[in-house]
């Protein structure tokens, strides 16, 4: 956390006083010291003064990414940290691309990341998610990593084996050289749970009929087109250049014995060059528009300038205008933004009592309350919403004997703890709960108000698997990643 200007001046004055005290003592001890030493001492004091009062320059941002805790939406570099934090919702970096620091005095958690992929592709593994604490204070709670069990598929892949090859097929031709083929199937044994066999399920071999086939003439590939007389055409061309290409009857040439057919068609082809693209026109920037007003009435804001690539606009594949079309310039209102108040945690409920009445273990309604404090409100920020005092109706069952209790149902399975490393487990519990008297659960006529039981009653349950108050069931979490 950086010091305020007032704190810096206090430190500077303390430093100056200390330096002058030391200097005075030195002069009294060495009264004959020359003027140069005194001047050197004054220069040293001025340097210390300049260094101590130098403001911290930062890159200022107008927000914090709730997913990552990183600064977002850059306002500008070279802004004094104290000015940037006139708005506690802002964020800053001491160096470009460095660690992000929130201006908020309250520690806040980022949102949980999405659950990661399961650590294994089959059977049981775990998924993890993380969050980060950002801001200048500590965050409530301590969990920054969670893990839960997952099963992508209940079985693991088992590959299969190949059957024997089939017989070869007949040759594919009746003259010259052909092919024959054989196959096999992935069935010895068949694969399980998405498995497969590795290798080819068919093979092809060359087969020779020992007979000569007649050769018919066939064209060779077309030769290259001749060059067009220009590389592009105007938008309204008056003349379209022509190109041509040729080919030979030698791929293969027709045989003489036995006689083969000549190549069909012509050995020359012409084509107009009307496919050529229009010549490219590069874009050029227009003038910047006027600067807008400051985007905020407190703290640091931005002004905006824009320009368009329309003098002329790029056309026919011409290059876009280089550079940016929008730029923002920081503006400083020198006004601190309002800081809204926030509630601290509720206090514990007071004892359930009723004036001049003993309501302990009786069907008499009492009252209890709890309080909280609104903290941090500054600069005409909003007061905390809601009430400072919370009051509720209650029955006092503290130290009341209720006899036999009842076992609750199983809770849901917990997350894996610890969320990384060895020995991670998940558990669920059943607890022995009191059977409260059948007192009315609400009071009031026009507006119903809930009545709560308060205190620590005395009760017990029949033994369940060796336990009388709480029964736990634990299972190991498998394939949990090591802690980083």
């Amino acid at each position: 956390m950086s010091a305020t200007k007032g704190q810096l001046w206090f430190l500077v004055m303390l430093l100056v006083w200390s330096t002058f005290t030391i200097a005075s003592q030195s002069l009294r001890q060495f009264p004959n010291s020359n003027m140069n030493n005194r001047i050197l001492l004054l220069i040293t004091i001025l340097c210390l003064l300049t260094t101590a009062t130098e403001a911290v320059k930062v890159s200022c941002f107008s927000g914090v990414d709730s997913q990552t805790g990183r600064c977002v939406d850059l306002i500008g570099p070279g802004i004094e940290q104290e000015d940037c934090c006139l708005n506690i919702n802002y964020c800053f970096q001491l160096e470009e691309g460095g660690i992000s620091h929130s201006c908020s005095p309250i520690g806040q958690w980022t949102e949980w990341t999405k659950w990661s992929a399961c650590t294994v592709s089959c059977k049981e593994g775990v998924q993890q998610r993380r969050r980060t604490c950002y801001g200048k204070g500590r965050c409530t709670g301590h969990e920054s990593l969670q893990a839960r069990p997952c099963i992508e598929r209940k079985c693991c892949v088992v590959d299969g084996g190949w059957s024997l090859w089939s017989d070869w097929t007949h040759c594919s031709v009746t003259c010259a050289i052909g092919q024959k083929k054989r196959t096999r199937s992935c069935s010895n044994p068949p694969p399980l749970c998405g498995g497969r066999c590795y290798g080819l399920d068919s093979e092809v071999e060359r087969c020779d009929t020992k007979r000569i086939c007649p050769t018919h003439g066939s064209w060779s590939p077309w030769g290259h087109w001749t060059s067009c007389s220009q590389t592009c055409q105007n938008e309204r061309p008056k003349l379209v250049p022509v190109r041509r290409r040729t080919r030979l009857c030698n791929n293969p040439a027709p045989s003489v014995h036995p006689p083969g057919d000549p190549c069909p068609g012509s050995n020359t082809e012409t084509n107009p060059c009307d496919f050529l693209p229009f010549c490219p026109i590069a874009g050029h920037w227009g003038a910047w528009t006027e600067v807008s007003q400051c985007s905020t009435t407190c703290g640091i804001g931005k002004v905006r300038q824009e320009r368009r690539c329309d003098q002329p606009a790029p056309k026919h594949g011409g290059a876009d205008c280089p550079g940016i079309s929008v730029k923002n310039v920081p503006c400083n209102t020198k006004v601190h933004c309002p800081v809204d108040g926030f509630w601290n945690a509720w206090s514990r409920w007071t004892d359930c009592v009723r004036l001049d009445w003993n309501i302990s273990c009786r069907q008499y309604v009492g009252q209890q309350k709890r309080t909280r404090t609104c903290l941090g409100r500054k600069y005409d920020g909003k007061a905390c919403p809601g009430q400072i005092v919370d009051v509720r109706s209650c029955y006092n069952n503290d130290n009341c004997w209720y006899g036999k209790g009842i076992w609750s149902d199983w809770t849901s399975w917990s997350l894996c703890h610890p969320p990384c490393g060895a020995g991670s487990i998940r558990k669920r519990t059943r607890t022995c709960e009191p059977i409260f008297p059948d007192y009315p659960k609400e009071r009031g006529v026009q507006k119903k108000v809930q009545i709560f039981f308060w205190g620590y009653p005395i009760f017990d349950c029949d033994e369940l698997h060796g336990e009388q108050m709480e029964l736990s069931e634990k299972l190991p979490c498998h394939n949990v990643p090591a802690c980083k």
Side-chain angles (χ1 to χ4, degrees):
M1 183 186 301
S2 63
T4 63
K5 290 181 178 178
Q7 292 171 327
L8 286 173
W9 273 109
F10 173 77
L11 293 173
V12 168
M13 296 306 297
L14 181 62
L15 179 63
V16 170
W17 177 82
S18 301
T19 305
F20 270 117
T21 300
I22 296 171
S24 300
Q25 293 175 352
S26 299
L27 291 174
R28 284 196 297 271
Q29 293 177 2
F30 305 101
N32 296 325
S33 60
N34 58 33
M35 183 61 68
N36 289 337
N37 291 337
R38 298 183 184 185
I39 295 174
L40 181 60
L41 176 62
L42 291 175
I43 292 174
T44 302
I45 293 173
L46 290 174
C47 290
L48 291 172
L49 178 65
T50 303
T51 303
T53 57
E54 183 179 354
V56 178
K57 300 289 187 178
V58 298
S59 293
C60 186
F61 299 76
S62 66
V64 182
D65 189 314
S66 61
Q67 294 279 349
T68 64
R70 298 283 297 173
C71 296
V72 293
D73 192 11
L74 176 66
I75 294 176
I79 295 174
E80 291 188 17
Q81 178 182 332
E82 185 175 352
D83 288 339
C84 181
C85 289
L86 289 172
N87 190 325
I88 64 171
N89 297 316
Y90 279 15
C91 182
F92 63 89
Q93 293 176 348
L94 296 174
E95 55 186 23
E96 185 177 352
I99 298 174
S100 295
H101 302 274
S102 172
C103 290
S104 173
I106 308 168
Q108 298 177 4
W109 288 109
T110 61
E111 296 177 9
W112 286 105
T113 61
K114 293 182 179 180
W115 288 104
S116 66
C118 203
T119 51
V120 290
S121 60
C122 62
K123 297 188 177 179
E124 185 178 311
V126 295
Q127 295 173 297
Q128 292 180 321
R129 66 177 183 176
R130 301 174 184 273
R131 63 177 179 174
T132 304
C133 182
Y134 66 92
K136 299 177 183 177
R138 290 187 176 182
C139 292
T140 56
H142 62 278
E143 279 194 333
S144 60
L145 175 66
Q146 289 183 340
R148 68 180 184 184
C150 57
I151 297 178
E152 291 290 329
R153 60 170 68 184
K154 294 182 179 180
C155 59
C156 291
V157 173
V158 178
D159 293 327
W162 291 110
S163 67
L164 297 175
W165 286 104
S166 67
D167 294 332
W168 289 103
T169 61
H170 295 295
C171 197
S172 61
V173 295
T174 58
C175 64
I177 305 297
Q179 291 180 334
K180 60 181 180 179
K181 181 180 180 181
R182 66 175 181 175
T183 60
R184 59 179 178 174
S185 63
C186 184
S187 59
N188 186 33
L192 298 176
C193 199
R196 62 190 181 96
C197 291
Y198 293 89
L200 300 175
D201 61 355
S202 64
E203 285 185 343
V204 176
E205 281 191 357
R206 180 174 177 271
C207 52
D208 190 349
T209 64
K210 308 298 184 181
R211 297 178 59 188
I212 298 175
C213 296
T215 302
H216 305 297
S218 180
W219 290 112
S220 66
W222 283 105
H224 295 295
W225 287 106
T226 58
S227 299
C228 293
S229 59
Q230 61 187 58
T231 58
C232 63
Q233 58 178 324
N234 295 323
E235 293 188 352
R236 296 182 179 178
K238 297 181 179 179
L239 176 63
V240 179
V242 177
R243 61 178 185 169
R244 60 181 304 209
R245 63 180 180 178
T246 60
R247 58 182 176 176
L248 301 174
C249 186
N250 63 355
N251 188 34
S255 60
V256 178
H257 300 289
D261 298 332
C263 297
S266 174
N267 69 338
T268 303
E269 185 178 46
T270 60
N271 190 6
C273 291
D274 54 3
F275 60 87
L276 291 174
F278 291 116
C279 298
I281 299 174
H284 292 276
W285 288 114
W288 289 101
T289 60
E290 293 183 0
V291 177
S292 66
Q293 293 182 344
C294 193
S295 61
T296 184
T297 57
C298 65
I300 301 293
K302 293 184 287 189
V303 293
R304 180 185 180 92
Q305 290 183 330
E306 296 181 351
R307 59 179 178 175
R308 295 184 178 181
C309 185
D310 58 1
Q311 296 296 322
K315 210 170 183 181
H316 308 313
D320 287 332
C321 297
I324 58 174
S325 61
V326 177
K327 64 180 179 180
N328 294 308
V329 181
C331 52
N332 191 347
T333 65
K334 295 293 184 180
V335 176
H336 205 297
C337 293
V339 180
D340 298 337
F342 62 93
W343 292 114
N344 66 350
W346 284 105
S347 66
R348 297 180 63 181
W349 287 105
T350 61
D351 293 350
C352 182
V353 296
R354 186 169 176 176
L355 291 178
D356 301 325
W357 285 59
N358 179 10
I359 64 172
S360 178
C361 306
R362 299 182 181 183
Q363 189 178 333
Y364 294 135
V365 178
Q367 197 175 70
Q368 57 185 159
K369 68 178 182 179
R370 60 180 181 174
T371 59
R372 57 183 176 176
T373 305
C374 185
L375 305 175
R377 183 186 178 198
K378 294 180 181 179
Y379 311 110
D380 295 325
K382 295 180 181 178
C384 299
Q387 300 298 321
I388 296 176
V389 179
D390 188 17
V391 179
R392 71 179 186 181
S393 299
C394 54
Y395 297 117
N396 187 327
N397 67 346
D398 196 37
N399 289 320
C400 300
W401 170 248
Y402 285 159
K404 290 297 181 183
I406 187 172
W407 286 100
S408 69
D409 293 331
W410 285 108
T411 62
S412 300
W413 285 104
S414 71
L415 298 173
C416 295
H417 292 284
C420 62
S424 182
I425 62 169
R426 54 183 172 132
K427 71 176 184 176
R428 61 178 183 172
T429 59
R430 294 180 70 180
T431 55
C432 177
E433 297 178 348
I435 301 176
F436 290 110
D438 190 18
Y439 295 166
K441 303 300 188 295
E442 294 179 331
R443 65 182 301 191
V445 180
Q446 294 181 343
K447 182 180 180 181
K448 297 292 185 181
V449 177
Q450 186 176 359
I451 307 174
F452 297 86
F453 284 95
W454 171 86
Y456 298 93
I458 303 171
F459 60 96
D460 60 17
C461 290
D462 292 331
E463 188 174 288
L464 182 64
H465 299 296
E467 300 293 340
Q468 286 190 322
M469 295 305 293
E470 182 177 279
L471 177 65
S472 296
E473 187 175 51
K474 300 179 181 179
L475 288 176
C477 292
H478 299 284
N479 298 298
V480 179
C483 296
K484 297 180 180 179

